[in-house]
Amino acid sequence: MEENLINEEINEEEITEEEVKEEEIKEEDIKEEKKGGFFRRLVKGLTKTRDSIVGGFEDLFTASEIDEDFYDEIEEILIMSDAGMEASEEIIEELKERVKQRHVKKTDECRELLKEVMTESLMKNPPDYPYEEKRSVILVVGVNGAGKTTTVGKLALKLKDQGKKTMIVAADTFRAAAVEQLNVWADRAGVDFIKCNEGQDPASVVYDAMQAAKARNTDAVICDTAGRLHNKKNLMNELEKITRIINREHPDAYVETLLVLDGATGQNAISQAREFLNASKVTGVVITKLDGTAKGGIAFAIQNSLSIPVKYIGVGEAIDDLQKFDAKDFVDALFDKSTEEEDVNA
């Protein structure tokens, strides 16, 4: 009798272990499926940039020989995508060196080499996300129309989904519409919301938010700020004041400053970024609206010219269209033809 009971217990343990393994496999499958879905979104979102960059490359890869004209045309295509002169020249010089080292003779063999060099160019400042692990205040800055408010809302949802107690702070006291939009995002995400009164000093709103965050034991505070017109000194001074208040009132919090840049503005985004760098310690860049532009090469220019990691890119309107930046996935998506094949077969 005892032996039967022992056997039953062993069988129960074996079944439990098998169930655990099945659950682990299912979880891995879900992760892979989700990653695949993200990549498909990325491929679709970069269609215009892909058509601009890789569409031009394809004819070159069927050329008869590798010569200076071949390299010049690749460089021209990169520059036209707003990758910038500096980044484009560096990519070409590195490509030439590798062609020489590996004794590549045919142009079609350069495709993978070019992808390799472009990926490495985007990995000079690899992104990190310490605010996912620490109690943090995330200050989101950028000019009007860059997609800053939407980025705040999507980021709040993502952090809430990670189990973080999250708060949105509407410190844009100049646009009532922005406050209303953030209120909708906060309700949707089920996170705390601190808003300003019209005309209230933005720094005082942030001060109130810091007190509330400490009292409520909040993990992540995301502050939307007024659309910074980078040529107006008083607005930059205001940004510096807000940063000082965060550091003084919440000294234990890790402070992340994300600069939101509209990908469609191309090289103008670089000049905007430089102004913000003068006013605050920008720790990461979010490039938005890449689905609506052929100027996605701006990611290369940002890495080369500013030495700031690109942390997120926006490739559409949906929540999952705000994606963590992955250099390899970005370049793979630029060279991916799956959407073109789907369109042909449709």
Side-chain angles (χ1 to χ4, degrees):
M1 184 74 171
E2 287 182 10
E3 189 175 332
N4 288 337
L5 287 172
I6 291 171
N7 287 335
E8 284 178 13
E9 288 176 3
I10 291 172
N11 288 335
E12 284 178 7
E13 287 178 7
E14 286 175 353
I15 292 169
T16 304
E17 286 175 6
E18 286 174 6
E19 288 174 346
V20 168
K21 286 177 182 177
E22 284 178 8
E23 286 300 317
E24 288 175 351
I25 291 169
K26 286 179 184 176
E27 191 174 331
E28 287 302 315
D29 288 343
I30 291 169
K31 285 180 181 177
E32 284 301 314
E33 185 178 340
K34 192 170 184 180
K35 182 171 176 25
F38 283 161
F39 183 74
R40 285 191 293 275
R41 285 178 179 275
L42 182 59
V43 170
K44 184 177 179 182
L46 292 177
T47 297
K48 291 187 177 181
T49 299
R50 180 171 57 256
D51 290 346
S52 172
I53 295 181
V54 182
F57 287 160
E58 288 307 311
D59 291 338
L60 292 177
F61 292 140
T62 59
S64 57
E65 60 181 335
I66 299 172
D67 54 20
E68 281 304 314
D69 287 341
F70 172 74
Y71 291 121
D72 287 346
E73 290 191 52
I74 291 178
E75 184 175 355
E76 183 179 346
I77 291 167
L78 289 170
I79 291 171
M80 291 298 290
S81 76
D82 270 334
M85 184 71 74
E86 185 181 335
S88 300
E89 287 179 351
E90 189 174 296
I91 288 170
I92 294 303
E93 288 307 309
E94 185 60 31
L95 178 62
K96 286 180 178 179
E97 185 63 29
R98 296 192 189 188
V99 166
K100 183 179 177 181
Q101 288 175 352
R102 302 183 192 184
H103 307 291
V104 174
K105 301 297 182 185
K106 297 180 180 179
T107 55
D108 62 346
E109 296 174 0
C110 285
R111 182 185 281 102
E112 290 304 314
L113 272 184
L114 181 58
K115 285 176 64 176
E116 185 181 294
V117 173
M118 289 172 69
T119 300
E120 290 177 12
S121 177
L122 291 172
M123 294 174 68
K124 290 180 178 179
N125 305 285
D128 60 346
Y129 306 88
Y131 47 88
E132 292 184 345
E133 308 298 331
K134 302 177 181 179
R135 184 155 297 174
S136 304
V137 177
I138 303 169
L139 190 61
V140 182
V141 302
V143 299
N144 280 333
K148 183 167 45 63
T149 302
T150 302
T151 297
V152 169
K154 290 180 179 180
L155 188 55
L157 268 169
K158 287 179 179 295
L159 291 173
K160 173 69 182 305
D161 286 346
Q162 292 175 18
K164 306 293 182 187
K165 187 173 183 182
T166 306
M167 174 188 291
I168 291 177
V169 181
D172 186 347
T173 61
F174 302 106
R175 286 194 308 146
V179 177
E180 292 172 8
Q181 188 180 353
L182 282 175
N183 203 346
V184 171
W185 277 109
D187 288 343
R188 182 178 176 185
V191 302
D192 289 342
F193 182 59
I194 303 291
K195 68 177 181 178
C196 58
N197 297 316
E198 190 172 349
Q200 184 179 352
D201 177 18
S204 70
V205 179
V206 173
Y207 174 87
D208 292 342
M210 294 304 100
Q211 310 312 313
K214 289 185 289 185
R216 300 175 192 179
N217 206 26
T218 303
D219 297 313
V221 181
I222 311 174
C223 299
D224 183 29
T225 60
R228 307 282 156 195
L229 299 178
H230 61 281
N231 57 345
K232 292 194 175 181
K233 188 177 179 181
N234 61 322
L235 288 177
M236 283 305 188
N237 289 341
E238 179 192 299
L239 178 56
E240 292 174 351
K241 183 179 178 182
I242 287 173
T243 303
R244 286 198 303 271
I245 287 173
I246 292 171
N247 290 331
R248 186 186 71 209
E249 299 301 324
H250 207 345
D252 296 333
Y254 171 82
V255 179
E256 177 86 22
T257 302
L258 294 178
L259 171 60
V260 180
L261 298 174
D262 180 350
T265 61
Q267 288 295 311
N268 287 335
I270 300 295
S271 59
Q272 288 176 15
R274 287 197 173 105
E275 293 295 333
F276 280 101
L277 282 169
N278 291 332
S280 62
K281 185 181 177 183
V282 175
T283 51
V285 170
V286 181
I287 308 176
T288 61
K289 307 181 184 180
L290 285 177
D291 55 313
T293 181
K295 297 181 178 181
I298 191 63
F300 295 93
I302 290 170
Q303 290 281 355
N304 248 22
S305 303
L306 303 175
S307 298
I308 306 171
V310 176
K311 297 204 172 184
Y312 295 94
I313 55 174
V315 291
E317 296 298 323
I319 296 295
D320 286 339
D321 288 330
L322 179 68
Q323 299 189 9
K324 285 184 176 179
F325 182 72
D326 182 290
K328 186 178 184 306
D329 283 352
F330 186 83
V331 174
D332 283 347
L334 285 180
F335 282 81
D336 192 283
K337 294 183 179 180
S338 60
T339 53
E340 295 174 16
E341 292 170 359
E342 286 171 9
D343 290 340
V344 169
N345 295 328

